[in-house]
Amino acid sequence: MAGFQGNRINPSRFSAGQLKFHIIAFPLAIFMILPVVLMVSNAFKTLGEFFRFPPTFIVHNPTMDNWVKLVKMAGSTGVPMSRYFVNSMFVAFLTVILNLILTIMAAYAFSKKKFKLKGALWEVNQMALMFVATSVSIPRYLIIVKLGAYNTWMAHILPLIAMPVGLFLVKQFVDGIPDALIEAAVVDGAGDTTILRKIIIPLSKPALATSVVLTFQQVWGNVESSNNYITSESLKTLPYYIGSLQVQNVMASMGVTAAASLLTFIPTLILFIIMQSKVMNTMSHSGIK
C-alpha cells in the first residue's frame, strides 16, 4: 500500500499507485463538469448563438449584454438586482445557522437522552420525510399568518428552519458516538451545553457539513416564501426574480435567464467545494471507528 503513503485515505502527494484511480476518475470528472461548462457558456452567448445550427457548446462570441440586461430588468421593478441577491444571502445565512443549532440539539436529545414520547416524536420526523412542500403549503400559510410573520423576514426563515432529512443524518451520526465518552464527561461535571460543544459537535462535523449543504440548497432555491408569504418587492429573493423572467418573452430573455441561473448556481458550488473538503478531512481524522 505504498501508493497510499502509509494507508492514508487522503494522501497529500501523487504516487504511481494512484494512477489507476485517476484513469477512471478523470473521464468521469470531465463528463460531470460538462453541464457546468455549458451553464457558464450560455451566460455569455448572444441570442443568435442560442439558435445557431449546429448548436455550439462553447460560446464563440462572448458578450456581457446578458448581464447588463439582467441588471436593467431588475431595476424596472423598482428594486435593484443587488437587493434580491443580498436578501437571498441574508435569508440563507440566518436559516442555515438556526437550522444547524436546532438540528444538533435535537439530534443529541433523540440519540442520547431518554424522555416521554421520544419514539413517537422521532416517527413524526420520519413521516415528515415523505411529504413534499406542496402538500403542506396551506398549513404553512396558516401558521405564518397566525404568528404574524406574513410579509416579514421570518416568513422566509420559519418554513425552512427545521429539515427532517438533516436531523435524520445528524442523529444517525451521533448514534455512533460512544455512550461511555459522554458518561465520562458527565462524571467530570460536564453539562449538556459542554457535552454538545466539546464532544457532539466536533465528532459530528461530517454530518453537520452535509446538513449545511442540504439546507443551503433548499433555502437558496426556494421561491415558495416570496410567492406565498411576501408581498413587498424589497423582501423577495433572487430565485423569485429569476422565476419572474420566465414569464416574460422567452426568446428575448434566454441569455438573461442563463446569466441569472449562473449567478444563482455559483454560491451553491462554492459552498459545496468548501464543505466537501471539510467532510473528507473530518471523516479521515475524526477517530470514530
Side-chain angles (χ1 to χ4, degrees), residues 140-213:
R140 280 182 174 178
Y141 176 83
L142 295 176
I143 292 173
I144 291 295
V145 172
K146 290 292 184 181
L147 291 176
Y150 188 81
N151 203 34
T152 67
W153 289 112
M154 294 308 296
H156 286 294
I157 298 170
L158 286 178
L160 301 174
I161 200 172
M163 180 180 287
V165 65
L167 176 57
F168 173 79
L169 292 173
V170 177
K171 190 263 184 185
Q172 296 301 109
F173 203 91
V174 175
D175 285 343
I177 299 177
D179 292 338
L181 191 61
I182 297 176
E183 292 171 359
V186 172
V187 171
D188 290 338
D192 289 332
T193 303
T194 302
I195 292 174
L196 275 170
R197 186 165 53 90
K198 297 289 187 179
I199 299 176
I200 303 299
I201 293 177
L203 296 181
S204 303
K205 286 182 179 180
L208 292 176
T210 303
S211 180
V212 166
V213 173

Side-chain angles (χ1 to χ4, degrees), residues 128-147:
L129 294 172
M130 298 183 293
F131 291 95
V132 296
T134 305
S135 65
V136 295
S137 58
I138 295 178
R140 280 182 174 178
Y141 176 83
L142 295 176
I143 292 173
I144 291 295
V145 172
K146 290 292 184 181
L147 291 176

